[in-house]
Amino acid sequence: MLAYYVANVNIESAYQARLPEGHDKDTAFPGSVLTDTFQMNEDRDWVEESLLAGNSERIDRQRDLPIEVIVGNPPYSVGQGATDYPRLDDKIRTTYVEHSQATLKNSLYDSYIRAIRWASDRIKKQGIVAFITNAGWLDGNTTAGLRKCFSDEFSAIYVFDLRGNQRMSGDLRLQQGGVIFDAIGGSGGSRAPIAITLLVKTPGHTGPAEIHYHDIGDYLSTREKLDRIADFGSYRAMPWQPIQPNKYHDWLNQRSEDFYTLKALYGEDRAIFKDRFSSVCSSRDAWVYNGSINSLIKNVKKHISFYENEVNRLSLGIDSFRSNKERENYVRNNIRKDPTQGKWTRGLYQFVARKYYEPFSRERVLKAQYRPFFSQWIYSSNLLNEITGRTPFVFPSPEHNNRVIQVTGTGASIPFSCLISERIPDREAISKGQCHPLYHYEPFDPGKHLGLLDDLEVVGGYVKRDAITDEALADFQAYYGDDTITKEGIFYYVYGVLHSPAYRQKYAANLKRDGARVPYTPDFHAFRQAGEKLAELHIGYESVEPYPLGEDSDKLNLDPDEYYYIKKMRFDGKRGEQDFSVIVVNEHLRLTGIPEKAHEYVVNGKSALGWILDRFQYTKDKDSGIVNDPNEWSDDPRHIVDLIKKVVTVSVETVGIVNSLPAIEA
């Protein structure tokens, strides 16, 4: 109500100030409507007449007006997506959703998209919609249907891309430049990319819309962006770039159509892998990950004890309800929440409601690849990990050896990347990662497997199976006319091809939107051998020969524990003027002589060295108070300094192998 009255006062004051002398200065503005805009075309308005006399009449009058210009910055609220607008959402379903190519389409009902759909329909046969919104729709796979409908429904489209995506890292984030909407006080603000969009509908227009695009540019500050917007003044003064969409309705970063003729890694007939999984998502990393095995066990036991106490305390109340939903609601409303004792999530509420017990087991403590070249101990359990996926069938226990290639998942904000591991990969070790294993395991079943023991490999109560398909093996052997090709060879061939700069450059847009595929290259064994070398480097990074970096210090007489102690390492110099050849380990120790080539190896959005500096630091979780101190992870005080040197070796040798890969096409 306050916003309604303030708007009226502003409109009336501006109007009255412009009236010449002698005119009535007390004219009330009759056009304001207090409403939920999206509700206006539903069965009834949500504002009762008793709250604001005449409001319904003004709504009806506005509905009948032939509005032809709609301008705005639609308000965005994630929670607003829960409101039900049957007519509006049905129109979205039969347009934007129907033509979307994504599996998950719930984001097409957020308030930005609803505003666009509502406005597009409201101007009817002619008019202009001018909105400033999140720019994610420009390049998203989910919003392909929206882009198609724009092209079908309008005659001309103008998009001014203001960039500003703060959810990227490294140089990619710097390229995006400053945010457009800053928060009050000058900090925070919108982290999303922003675009100004003009949608023009002209009577008599036939064919698809003419699409005009302008990118504001790289590395611009917020002030520089605002100055450019002001300098243009009008869309007529802008240097527009025409866009011709492809058949997938891509506007920017258009996909290569031959990509879909390549060999699918997973999910199609004759694909390379039988299995794919997303790995672990704990939703309580501070509790189930730690570099110190003793700290991890202590934290996990504490959390399990807290959980079991709550199950016992609520047991009688749980039994008083019949349905699972009622039990879970009871648990949510009565659970004792103490972040220093544990973290509650949806999965854990459900376990409490089922009175599920899972006692601590030392066998569930495994090594995990938490981030690139950063391993920690994980407690791998159904109870304390929100999502485990197929991880238990790929890494059942420490004695079940395996290797997985984890690739960037669709929708990630960073360029395609991949990394091999013989440890459980966290889901974000590679952004939104999808893992393709060399083997998978199934529990040994005497009734099912006893008659087949001669053909089976049984390890620790599990049957070991190849994850590479028989069909893929036959296809590769037939294509190359080479019966010596093995399933393991295909596994490393894939890893080699996925590192090819030519492959990544040609198919960058495809890899952002779709699962990875690989071509048949002119030289299978060259890529296989490269993949094997890369695998040994990336898996064995902790045991390679350290690179001969200099150690520059002014305090050589310190105790080793103090001499090598770290809190947070960094590259030398100030931001924007950094010397990437030097790492400041602490206030008295610097590592020097890092070659430029070491920074060329980028994995999951930043250099391998960048991940070491980012992750090897003292942290204290603000909610639980749990400490993760890398100084305690080894009895050798030099272990972090030596690891840096080893990762430099890995980076330099990786770049050498990658740059020597042959062509992917004949």
Side-chain angles (χ1 to χ4, degrees):
M1 295 291 284
L2 178 61
Y4 171 84
Y5 286 118
V6 169
N8 272 287
V9 168
N10 288 339
I11 293 169
E12 290 165 3
S13 298
Y15 176 74
Q16 291 162 6
R18 287 160 174 78
L19 286 175
E21 291 297 327
H23 284 73
D24 183 5
K25 296 284 187 176
D26 294 324
T27 304
F29 179 61
S32 290
V33 174
L34 181 61
T35 185
D36 174 346
T37 302
F38 301 153
Q39 191 74 36
M40 288 180 66
N41 291 336
E42 302 297 329
D43 291 335
R44 61 180 297 277
D45 181 52
W46 66 279
V47 178
E48 296 293 339
E49 189 69 14
S50 60
L51 295 176
L52 194 62
N55 195 58
S56 294
E57 181 184 340
R58 291 195 293 275
I59 288 175
D60 290 337
R61 186 167 68 246
Q62 190 184 108
R63 281 173 173 162
D64 295 334
L65 288 174
I67 290 177
E68 294 182 351
V69 178
I70 300 175
V71 180
N73 173 14
Y76 181 73
S77 170
V78 174
Q80 190 170 353
T83 308
D84 187 27
Y85 304 103
R87 291 182 181 174
L88 179 59
D89 289 348
D90 186 62
K91 186 63 179 291
I92 291 173
R93 180 183 60 79
T94 58
T95 54
Y96 305 158
V97 171
E98 182 175 322
H99 298 294
S100 173
Q101 300 158 0
T103 302
L104 300 176
K105 305 176 184 181
N106 289 343
S107 61
L108 289 171
Y109 296 95
D110 75 23
S111 54
Y112 278 147
I113 305 298
R114 280 171 165 166
I116 291 170
R117 183 67 269 172
W118 180 89
S120 300
D121 294 334
R122 185 63 182 86
I123 61 172
K124 301 189 186 304
K125 295 183 179 181
Q126 70 175 21
I128 297 172
V129 176
F131 278 167
I132 179 166
T133 67
N134 183 320
W137 64 268
L138 266 171
D139 199 26
N141 202 36
T142 304
T143 50
L146 180 143
R147 294 191 296 271
K148 178 186 186 305
C149 291
F150 277 1
S151 183
D152 292 344
E153 296 174 12
F154 292 92
S155 53
I157 300 167
Y158 298 84
V159 181
F160 190 1
D161 189 351
L162 305 179
R163 310 281 286 275
N165 188 348
Q166 301 300 293
R167 294 184 175 90
M168 295 182 171
S169 61
D171 189 59
L172 290 172
R173 179 169 177 171
L174 296 177
Q175 286 181 12
Q176 290 287 313
V179 299
I180 294 299
F181 297 112
D182 205 359
I184 295 174
S187 63
S190 170
R191 300 184 66 216
I194 302 296
I196 300 172
T197 306
L198 277 69
L199 306 170
V200 182
K201 190 179 290 187
T202 304
H205 176 83
T206 59
E210 295 179 358
I211 303 171
H212 309 273
Y213 173 79
H214 181 70
D215 181 354
I216 199 165
D218 293 338
Y219 304 109
L220 299 177
S221 67
T222 298
R223 173 46 53 194
E224 289 171 324
K225 290 182 179 182
L226 296 177
D227 287 344
R228 288 197 180 188
I229 295 169
D231 289 343
F232 283 130
S234 166
Y235 80 98
R236 293 188 178 91
M238 297 177 63
W240 296 104
Q241 169 192 345
I243 289 178
Q244 183 63 45
N246 64 11
K247 71 177 185 179
Y248 306 110
H249 316 300
D250 299 334
W251 289 9
L252 309 180
N253 305 313
Q254 295 189 5
R255 282 171 272 193
S256 297
E257 295 187 13
D258 72 317
F259 181 76
Y260 302 99
T261 67
L262 308 184
K263 196 75 172 169
L265 293 193
Y266 175 79
E268 293 183 5
D269 290 340
R270 311 194 77 80
I272 293 175
F273 291 91
K274 297 176 186 175
D275 212 351
R276 184 184 71 178
F277 66 105
S278 296
S279 202
V280 174
C281 176
S282 79
S283 296
R284 54 177 61 78
D285 287 7
W287 290 96
V288 301
Y289 279 107
N290 205 288
S292 163
I293 191 170
N294 293 328
S295 295
L296 175 68
I297 292 172
K298 174 185 170 184
N299 296 335
V300 168
K301 287 183 174 179
K302 182 178 183 180
H303 199 307
I304 291 176
S305 176
F306 178 51
Y307 166 83
E308 290 180 345
N309 288 339
E310 289 302 283
V311 175
N312 295 334
R313 185 175 68 84
L314 299 176
S315 181
L316 288 177
I318 292 169
D319 288 341
S320 67
F321 296 96
R322 300 183 67 178
S323 73
N324 291 335
K325 185 174 182 180
E326 288 175 326
R327 293 186 184 117
E328 187 178 336
N329 287 337
Y330 170 77
V331 169
R332 285 177 180 271
N333 293 331
N334 292 278
I335 205 80
R336 185 167 62 94
K337 295 180 180 178
D338 182 348
T340 67
Q341 301 298 309
K343 181 179 178 182
W344 297 106
T345 54
R346 180 184 178 187
L348 217 53
Y349 289 134
Q350 292 173 341
F351 280 137
V352 174
R354 290 163 45 192
K355 297 198 292 186
Y356 172 80
Y357 288 90
E358 187 182 276
F360 173 82
S361 171
R362 178 62 178 78
E363 289 187 356
R364 294 192 175 98
V365 178
L366 306 172
K367 267 286 189 177
Q369 192 74 42
Y370 186 69
R371 294 294 182 269
F373 305 102
F374 178 70
S375 296
Q376 296 195 96
W377 294 99
I378 184 176
Y379 188 70
S380 179
S381 75
N382 288 325
L383 181 67
L384 294 186
N385 289 282
E386 193 74 356
I387 300 173
T388 58
R390 292 190 51 77
T391 303
F393 300 100
V394 179
F395 295 100
S397 78
E399 67 176 304
H400 292 89
N401 298 323
N402 211 342
R403 291 185 171 188
V404 299
I405 298 172
Q406 188 176 26
V407 302
T408 307
T410 57
S413 61
I414 60 173
F416 177 82
S417 190
C418 66
L419 189 64
I420 196 169
S421 178
E422 59 182 9
R423 296 165 176 167
I424 295 175
D426 183 83
R427 182 164 295 193
E428 290 299 318
I430 296 291
S431 181
K432 302 183 185 298
Q434 295 292 326
C435 300
H436 302 83
L438 180 57
Y439 307 110
H440 61 90
Y441 294 88
E442 61 182 70
F444 177 72
D445 180 351
K448 176 181 177 182
H449 296 126
L450 274 181
L452 304 170
L453 285 181
D454 291 342
D455 300 320
L456 297 178
E457 182 178 355
V458 181
V459 181
Y462 286 81
V463 177
K464 183 178 181 181
R465 303 281 197 185
D466 289 322
I468 305 291
T469 66
D470 294 336
E471 293 83 1
L473 177 62
D475 290 344
F476 272 92
Q477 289 180 342
Y479 182 86
Y480 289 102
D482 186 350
D483 291 341
T484 68
I485 292 175
T486 64
K487 291 182 177 181
E488 187 171 318
I490 294 172
F491 183 79
Y492 293 114
Y493 170 86
V494 168
Y495 198 54
V497 171
L498 294 181
H499 276 84
S500 165
Y503 169 84
R504 292 188 180 188
Q505 181 178 359
K506 179 176 181 180
Y507 298 117
N510 302 81
L511 293 167
K512 184 176 180 180
R513 297 178 173 94
D514 300 288
R517 296 168 176 265
V518 295
Y520 294 116
T521 63
D523 191 339
F524 174 88
H525 290 290
F527 280 97
R528 173 189 58 77
Q529 291 167 1
E532 290 173 349
K533 292 177 182 177
L534 291 169
E536 296 315 307
L537 275 174
H538 299 163
I539 289 173
Y541 69 94
E542 293 168 311
S543 58
V544 301
E545 189 70 24
Y547 197 87
L549 300 181
E551 296 186 22
D552 182 11
S553 176
D554 56 0
K555 293 184 179 180
L556 299 176
N557 58 346
L558 291 176
D559 176 81
D561 287 336
E562 184 179 357
Y563 184 78
Y564 292 107
Y565 185 84
I566 67 164
K567 277 208 165 182
K568 182 171 175 58
M569 300 182 289
R570 60 180 176 84
F571 290 112
D572 198 16
K574 298 179 180 180
R575 186 173 182 178
E577 300 177 357
Q578 289 174 297
D579 181 355
F580 292 102
S581 69
V582 178
I583 290 176
V584 179
V585 177
N586 53 38
E587 60 185 8
H588 53 261
L589 176 61
R590 294 152 38 106
L591 299 180
T592 62
I594 299 170
E596 289 186 16
K597 188 174 286 189
H599 301 290
E600 294 178 21
Y601 176 41
V602 174
V603 56
N604 201 30
K606 67 178 71 173
S607 70
L609 276 178
W611 282 111
I612 300 297
L613 270 59
D614 182 71
R615 289 292 158 179
F616 279 87
Q617 58 176 290
Y618 175 94
T619 61
K620 183 176 182 179
D621 184 63
K622 64 179 181 179
D623 294 324
S624 64
I626 291 173
V627 169
N628 206 350
D629 185 354
N631 300 286
E632 300 175 350
W633 298 351
S634 172
D635 294 331
D636 180 4
R638 285 187 54 91
H639 76 282
I640 298 173
V641 165
D642 286 341
L643 180 62
I644 291 172
K645 295 180 178 182
K646 292 172 182 178
V647 171
V648 171
T649 295
V650 169
S651 300
V652 171
E653 292 191 14
T654 295
V655 171
I657 294 170
V658 168
N659 288 344
S660 65
L661 285 170
I664 61 171
E665 296 176 330

